[in-house]
């Protein structure tokens, strides 16, 4: 159960709680819950309303002078998509009645349908873009000299992504490549890499099973192998009338292996017990047209003093487990 509580602004004798009847909020679901108001003293109330709002917003200027919200923050430099804008009236007093709400607890149930096309929540502290959702409770006072009482709370929305909808994400991956040793030193030759994955689509918490077979045809010993997950986020907006896209990448280390593979040697490394996928927003961020997310598995093998061989392969995190059909 999701419970959001706090003191209501503008009135120090009232507290509000927003309680959902669900452990997780998902797009396309019927959301039920209630607003609970605890009054320390009687209060004359005109209405109780709750508004649900959700949007995506990008900021793509790179020379803004206002950095208080992160890189390139500007009110006129990006794009915006609104997914949810729904207001419900939970209580409305009779205009001819001066009835007071007594001290104590007052409960107002609500129910609304979330749209099917709402994207998952996504936020990075870089000022370049986000997908956010919140609800806003407003308690209207009877008279103009009494200010309205308001409270805003934020919540996450998850949009399930079945890996069955991504072509070949559940098909075993068999990748072979001969990587030349491009070096400013004296290293010559190449490394033969044979990488096997059970699939390229995974869900958070799942372990990545892989086999890597290496054959060292260089003139140096292969030292270390690092497997990382690289997330690339593209933010699209408009700046001074022109469409602009900015990208940002973030790296998650999945596995590190110490190698000592000599010249002309070959070895197979089993990674069935390492490489857990972290909790990540789904591939592509379905439902959002101005923020796009892609993932790649990066395999880096070090040799010599400072040189490395790098492979990039597509990777697809999903939100729910899927079986081939």
């Amino acid at each position: 159960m999701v419970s959001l509580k706090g003191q209501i602004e503008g009135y120090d004798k009232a507290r509000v709680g927003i309680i959902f009847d669900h452990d997780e909020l998902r797009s396309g679901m019927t959301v039920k819950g209630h607003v609970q108001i605890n009054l320390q003293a009687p209060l004359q109330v005109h209405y109780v309303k709750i508004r649900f709002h959700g949007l995506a917003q990008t900021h793509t200027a790179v020379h803004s002078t206002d950095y208080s919200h992160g890189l390139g923050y500007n009110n006129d430099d990006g794009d915006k998509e609104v997914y949810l804008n729904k207001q419900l009236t939970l209580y409305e007093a009779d205009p001819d009645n001066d009835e007071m709400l007594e001290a104590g607890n007052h409960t107002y149930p609500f129910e609304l349908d979330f749209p099917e096309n709402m994207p998952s929540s996504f936020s990075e502290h870089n000022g370049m873009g986000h997908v956010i959702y919140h609800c806003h409770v407003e308690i209207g006072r009877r008279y103009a000299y009494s200010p309205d009482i308001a409270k805003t709370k934020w919540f996450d929305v998850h949009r399930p992504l079945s890996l069955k909808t991504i072509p070949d994400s559940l098909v075993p991956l068999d990748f072979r490549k001969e990587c030349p040793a491009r070096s400013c030193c004296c290293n010559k030759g190449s490394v033969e890499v044979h990488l096997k994955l059970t699939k390229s689509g995974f869900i958070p918490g799942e372990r990545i099973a892989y086999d890597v077979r290496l054959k060292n045809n260089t003139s140096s010993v292969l030292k270390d192998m690092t497997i990382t997950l690289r997330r690339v986020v593209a933010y699209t907006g408009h700046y001074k009338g022109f469409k602009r896209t900015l990208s940002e990448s973030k790296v998650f280390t999945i596995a590190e292996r110490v190698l000592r593979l000599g010249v002309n040697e070959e070895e197979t490394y089993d990674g069935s017990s390492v490489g857990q996928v972290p909790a990540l927003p789904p591939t592509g961020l379905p439902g959002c047209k101005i923020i796009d997310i892609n993932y790649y598995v990066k395999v880096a093998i070090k040799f010599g003093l400072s040189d490395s061989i790098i492979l990039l392969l597509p990777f697809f995190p999903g939100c729910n487990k899927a079986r081939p059909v």
Side-chain angles (χ1 to χ4, degrees):
M1 180 176 292
V2 181
S3 179
L4 307 173
K5 298 183 179 180
Q7 182 172 301
I8 305 177
E9 298 173 3
Y11 191 71
D12 60 1
K13 295 184 179 180
R15 288 186 174 273
V16 64
I18 304 173
I19 295 92
F20 294 97
D21 298 340
H22 321 277
D23 294 327
E24 184 178 78
L25 302 180
R26 297 191 171 197
S27 60
M29 73 181 299
T30 299
V31 177
K32 297 181 180 180
H34 62 273
V35 173
Q36 182 172 309
I37 301 173
N38 177 268
L39 299 178
Q40 307 279 323
L43 181 68
Q44 203 164 37
V45 173
H46 186 199
Y47 60 80
V48 177
K49 297 179 180 179
I50 184 171
R51 177 179 292 277
F52 291 83
H53 193 62
L55 60 82
Q57 194 164 14
T58 59
H59 304 286
T60 52
V62 294
H63 298 297
S64 173
T65 57
D66 180 9
Y67 291 92
S68 60
H69 293 78
L71 175 63
Y73 182 83
N74 190 300
N75 289 330
D76 303 318
D77 69 290
D79 279 344
K80 180 170 69 173
E81 293 179 342
V82 177
Y83 311 112
L84 181 63
N85 188 18
K86 179 76 172 181
Q87 179 172 281
L88 304 175
T89 299
L90 307 182
Y91 168 81
E92 191 166 18
D94 186 342
D96 300 324
N97 191 342
D98 291 334
E99 178 183 358
M100 302 277 289
L101 289 184
E102 299 297 327
N105 291 321
H106 302 268
T107 301
Y108 304 96
F110 62 79
E111 178 179 329
L112 78 157
D113 294 326
F114 277 2
E116 292 279 354
N117 62 345
M118 286 169 49
S120 296
S121 299
F122 174 74
S123 181
E124 288 288 312
H125 300 292
N126 56 17
M128 297 171 68
H130 52 237
V131 178
I132 53 176
Y133 298 91
H134 72 271
C135 54
H136 179 81
V137 174
E138 185 176 288
I139 302 175
R141 309 288 289 278
R142 170 68 73 174
Y143 302 106
Y145 60 81
S146 301
D148 291 341
I149 301 168
K151 184 66 179 179
T152 300
K153 289 293 182 181
W154 307 88
F155 57 88
D156 289 332
V157 170
H158 301 278
R159 176 170 174 165
L161 173 64
S162 173
L163 294 173
K164 291 187 293 185
T165 64
I166 303 176
D168 299 329
S169 66
L170 298 174
V171 176
L173 182 66
D174 194 315
F175 182 82
R176 298 171 184 264
K177 185 175 182 180
E178 185 172 356
C179 303
R182 296 186 179 94
S183 171
C184 60
C185 300
C186 300
N187 295 315
K188 298 179 180 180
S190 63
V191 175
E192 296 178 28
V193 181
H194 184 191
L195 174 64
K196 290 183 179 181
L197 293 174
T198 55
K199 54 184 177 177
S200 57
F202 295 84
I203 61 173
E206 192 174 2
R207 293 191 176 276
I208 302 174
Y210 66 88
D211 286 325
V212 179
R213 184 170 185 81
L214 304 175
K215 184 176 181 180
N216 183 11
N217 299 322
T218 71
S219 55
S220 296
V221 175
L222 299 186
K223 293 183 177 180
D224 301 292
M225 178 175 66
T226 303
I227 299 179
T228 56
L229 183 61
R230 184 180 180 216
R231 183 181 73 194
V232 180
V233 184
Y235 304 90
T236 300
H238 288 80
Y239 180 57
K240 294 185 178 180
F242 296 94
K243 185 176 180 180
R244 185 185 188 99
T245 299
L246 296 180
S247 296
E248 183 190 48
S249 62
K250 188 173 183 179
V251 175
F252 306 86
T253 299
I254 296 178
E256 293 180 309
R257 299 289 293 265
V258 177
L259 307 180
R260 288 295 180 268
L261 190 61
V263 177
N264 295 325
E265 292 183 352
E266 58 181 296
E267 186 66 63
T268 298
Y269 300 91
D270 180 8
S272 59
S273 61
V274 296
Q276 190 171 17
V277 180
L280 297 167
T283 300
L285 201 61
C288 182
K289 298 179 181 178
I290 59 177
I291 300 176
D292 186 34
I293 304 177
N294 288 289
Y295 296 89
Y296 303 90
V297 171
K298 177 181 176 181
V299 181
I301 304 168
K302 291 185 179 181
F303 66 98
L305 297 176
S306 60
D307 304 297
S308 61
I309 292 172
I310 296 175
L311 300 177
L312 283 178
L313 302 172
F315 186 85
F316 307 103
C319 289
N320 60 333
K321 203 159 190 174
R323 297 180 182 272
V325 293

